[in-house]
Amino acid sequence: MSGINYSEKIPNNVDLVNDRTLQRALEHWQPKFLDWWRGMGPTDFQNLDVYLRTAVSVDSEGWAQYGAVKMPDYRWGIFLGDPVADRKIGFGDAMGQPVWQQVPGEYRSILRRLIVTQGDTEPASVEQQRLLGHTCPSLYDLRNLFQINVEEGRHLWAMVYLLHAYFGRDGREEAEELLARHSGDADKPRILTTFNEPISDWLSLFCFTYFTDRDGKYQLKSLAESGFDPLSRTCRFMLTEEAHHMFVGETGIGRVVKRTLEVMKELGTDDPARIRAHGAVDLGLLQKYLNFWCSSSLDLFGSEVSSNSAANFANGLKGRPDETTYDDHVLREKSFELGTPQGTENVPMLNALNEVMRESYLKDCEIGLRRWNRAIERAGFGALALKLPSMRFRRSIGAWAGQSVDPQGNLISNDVYSRELNSWIPSDQDRTFVKSLMQRVVEPGKIAGWVAPPERGINNLPVDYEYVKLH
Ligand code: BYC
């Protein structure tokens, strides 16, 4: 177990105290981060005690400590997963060679780009979610939102550490830029599209944490395979924290489904208008939110055919999630059958790795749907089962970008597409309705009418615990 030194200004398990230059550089960045957090982090809740978990070690047996913390006092720190002795590169042309403890000169700019892209998403998500506290459905949910926000802040620290420690002056400049770009900003937006979408209601938050944080899981898993060992170790520990974010998404959507089914049973109808009049989210509306966030997150894997991903794999920089579960780790001989709007194309497997990842991601997304659909079937509404949209639907990146495709994946005419789009993703009217449901509920144990209460509280505490002390 690598302990964390909490007596230092920046808690860490990377022996920062013995690298004064790095320590000074990070201590110089720290107040800028805090300024960003106060300016762009959760609004109006900064002085409240929140029941948060804080990483105190990287031990799988127990790495976190729980307690009341004011968010700006959260101990954001630098934690790397334990080193693996004699670790070797597990894929690509340099497979079997020792991993690198320093950045190889020839891969410097591509590694920096990967780290910056990953780092950019973390503060972006905090910015996207900054107003949600005002409309929380319960104190339990409010606490979960803040837990996610502080941990995304820590994930930014994780990437900034790598930039400062391994990329010299360019890295320090990139770290400044990570605080200068802002989600949705017309002049300096975040790098990836999904992270510029507003998240203005909790249904979107649950979908974002279900779909977009799951992209995070897949990207972090593939970077955890990297031959650049500090990146691998950093990502391994980030994945531990990431699991809770997806839990919030999966249980959040599950609770929406549960509440809707209760209302449908009570009213004896599946009529969306009556369900809405009763203050719940009809399943068709939920389906539209799933379609929106799933399709947006599918773009985050990049183009189907990518020379970047081929080079990253061949050079041992970015593998596939769970690389050891595959047989062939070099992929020079394999090909992939890719469906494009022009027909099926045979492409070298190395160039199709974004697509391989997208496919396994989508399989992972199915797991939650199966669980929600079981509840829907049990309630006797099997015909309204939820579905994932096709990988081709509403894409902005890759071969299907800009194509008129329905959620089942059929190419259709532009006219039909424009006419029907509002029946596949939330219309303005749908968003206005969802917004009308977003009334803040902050009495301990109370819950908004559009979502069922959670099955259990945090860390064995009761559901009605005062997770955020508002007074
Ligand atoms: N939006 O060869 P291509 C998370 C650009 S989420 C805008 O297709 P490549 C989190 C691409 O940059 C995980 N631009 O793509 C979740 C390239 O631009 P340049 C985030 C896009 O390089 C919730 C061009 O298109 N981590 O952690 O194979 C809360 C052609 O590129 C997009 C990572 O993404 C897009 N969607 O793969 C908080 C891992 N897609 O260079 C956090 C790091 C592509 O021609 N990043 N482009 O100007 C990567 O691995 C890769 O950069 C990508 C793209 C997977 C994103």
Side-chain angles (χ1 to χ4, degrees):
M1 171 184 126
S2 321
I4 310 277
N5 187 345
Y6 265 85
S7 60
E8 293 181 45
K9 245 182 165 171
I10 303 168
N12 71 88
N13 70 349
V14 295
D15 203 18
L16 205 52
V17 72
N18 285 317
D19 188 341
R20 287 300 162 125
T21 316
L22 177 59
Q23 189 179 30
R24 261 198 305 276
L26 285 166
E27 284 180 4
H28 188 66
W29 187 79
Q30 191 177 35
K32 297 180 187 175
F33 167 81
L34 282 170
D35 277 351
W36 167 81
W37 177 268
R38 287 180 196 278
M40 299 303 290
T43 54
D44 303 320
F45 297 92
Q46 304 278 356
N47 294 321
L48 305 179
D49 280 332
V50 185
Y51 186 73
L52 293 176
R53 72 175 183 192
T54 306
V56 290
S57 87
V58 294
D59 189 348
S60 58
E61 295 296 307
W63 53 272
Q65 162 186 294
Y66 287 79
V69 180
K70 292 184 183 26
M71 283 185 278
D73 299 336
Y74 188 81
R75 301 303 311 275
W76 284 284
I78 300 161
F79 316 128
L80 266 56
D82 284 333
V84 173
D86 296 326
R87 184 168 168 252
K88 303 280 193 293
I89 298 174
F91 59 90
D93 298 338
M95 171 143 178
Q97 292 179 21
V99 292
W100 317 297
Q101 297 306 331
Q102 292 297 328
V103 178
E106 65 272 40
Y107 305 139
R108 190 182 159 84
S109 77
I110 182 68
L111 268 172
R112 192 183 60 213
R113 180 173 166 275
L114 285 174
I115 293 167
V116 166
T117 309
Q118 177 63 47
D120 191 70
T121 63
E122 316 289 2
S125 69
V126 176
E127 293 167 354
Q128 286 172 294
Q129 297 164 17
R130 69 189 296 262
L131 297 175
L132 285 177
H134 292 292
T135 54
C136 63
S138 72
L139 281 185
Y140 164 91
D141 290 291
L142 186 62
R143 174 270 170 198
N144 279 346
L145 169 71
F146 294 155
Q147 182 70 62
I148 292 172
N149 292 161
V150 292
E151 285 176 352
E152 299 300 5
R154 204 202 70 69
H155 290 181
L156 170 62
W157 270 95
M159 293 299 126
V160 164
Y161 162 71
L162 294 176
L163 290 170
H164 273 226
Y166 297 97
F167 294 90
R169 189 186 169 152
D170 312 356
R172 290 194 293 278
E173 282 170 9
E174 293 284 9
E176 305 270 319
E177 286 297 302
L178 286 170
L179 299 177
R181 284 186 291 271
H182 296 308
S183 178
D185 190 299
D187 299 325
K188 269 184 163 263
R190 291 295 177 182
I191 298 171
L192 301 174
T193 351
T194 312
F195 294 89
N196 290 303
E197 299 281 4
I199 304 181
S200 38
D201 60 73
W202 283 74
L203 196 54
S204 296
L205 176 76
F206 291 153
C207 292
F208 180 91
T209 45
Y210 188 76
F211 289 109
T212 314
D213 278 275
R214 193 172 309 275
D215 168 57
K217 167 182 165 185
Y218 272 73
Q219 298 293 344
L220 290 174
K221 268 174 166 280
S222 64
L223 294 173
E225 302 288 338
S226 181
F228 178 41
D229 202 42
L231 175 61
S232 161
R233 291 176 57 197
T234 306
C235 291
R236 264 192 283 133
F237 185 62
M238 288 164 77
L239 280 162
T240 316
E241 291 163 315
E242 197 68 35
H244 172 257
H245 309 181
M246 284 176 295
F247 164 87
V248 168
E250 176 163 354
T251 54
I253 298 175
R255 287 162 52 208
V256 173
V257 169
K258 186 171 176 202
R259 179 65 194 137
T260 301
L261 294 172
E262 282 168 8
V263 169
M264 287 163 81
K265 212 165 152 191
E266 202 180 310
L267 300 177
T269 182
D270 59 6
D271 176 8
R274 289 194 56 204
I275 296 165
R276 288 190 190 195
H278 206 79
V281 176
D282 55 287
L283 293 177
L285 179 55
L286 175 58
Q287 178 68 62
K288 287 177 162 191
Y289 272 75
L290 300 181
N291 287 347
F292 180 91
W293 286 105
C294 183
S295 54
S296 180
S297 304
L298 285 167
D299 270 340
L300 292 171
F301 291 88
S303 309
E304 289 81 356
V305 179
S306 165
S307 54
N308 289 340
S309 73
N312 291 344
F313 188 88
N315 294 329
L317 308 179
K318 184 178 172 194
R320 288 165 294 186
D322 304 308
E323 185 60 45
T324 52
T325 61
Y326 293 87
D327 296 331
D328 180 348
H329 301 287
V330 182
L331 300 179
R332 289 279 175 197
E333 312 292 325
K334 285 225 162 71
S335 60
F336 184 89
E337 279 212 347
L338 185 71
T340 73
Q342 292 73 40
T344 306
E345 274 177 32
N346 215 286
V347 296
M349 178 65 90
L350 264 185
N351 292 68
L353 291 178
N354 287 345
E355 193 65 359
V356 170
M357 257 171 81
R358 192 166 14 241
E359 281 180 354
S360 52
Y361 161 82
L362 218 51
K363 280 208 187 96
D364 205 46
C365 289
E366 288 282 358
I367 296 171
L369 267 99
R370 279 202 290 276
R371 193 162 304 154
W372 308 325
N373 282 339
R374 271 201 298 276
I376 294 172
E377 269 156 38
R378 268 201 307 270
F381 295 105
L384 299 176
L386 300 166
K387 295 178 199 70
L388 291 177
S390 156
M391 289 209 285
R392 302 169 180 182
F393 175 63
R394 212 177 72 91
R395 292 288 302 282
S396 304
I397 300 280
W400 295 92
Q403 299 285 328
S404 293
V405 173
D406 68 15
Q408 289 73 43
N410 305 305
L411 269 168
I412 53 175
S413 75
N414 295 345
D415 284 352
V416 176
Y417 183 80
S418 342
R419 203 173 58 231
E420 294 296 323
L421 190 60
N422 269 344
S423 66
W424 296 326
I425 61 168
S427 63
D428 289 346
Q429 209 187 352
D430 294 327
R431 288 191 187 279
T432 306
F433 169 69
V434 169
K435 207 168 161 202
S436 76
L437 296 180
M438 299 294 128
Q439 305 295 334
R440 151 169 157 148
V441 177
V442 289
E443 232 179 287
K446 289 272 177 326
I447 191 106
W450 57 271
V451 59
E455 273 172 24
R456 59 187 69 85
I458 315 285
N459 194 30
N460 296 323
L461 288 173
V463 171
D464 62 3
Y465 182 78
E466 197 178 356
Y467 289 104
V468 182
K469 293 208 168 33
L470 290 174
H471 307 293

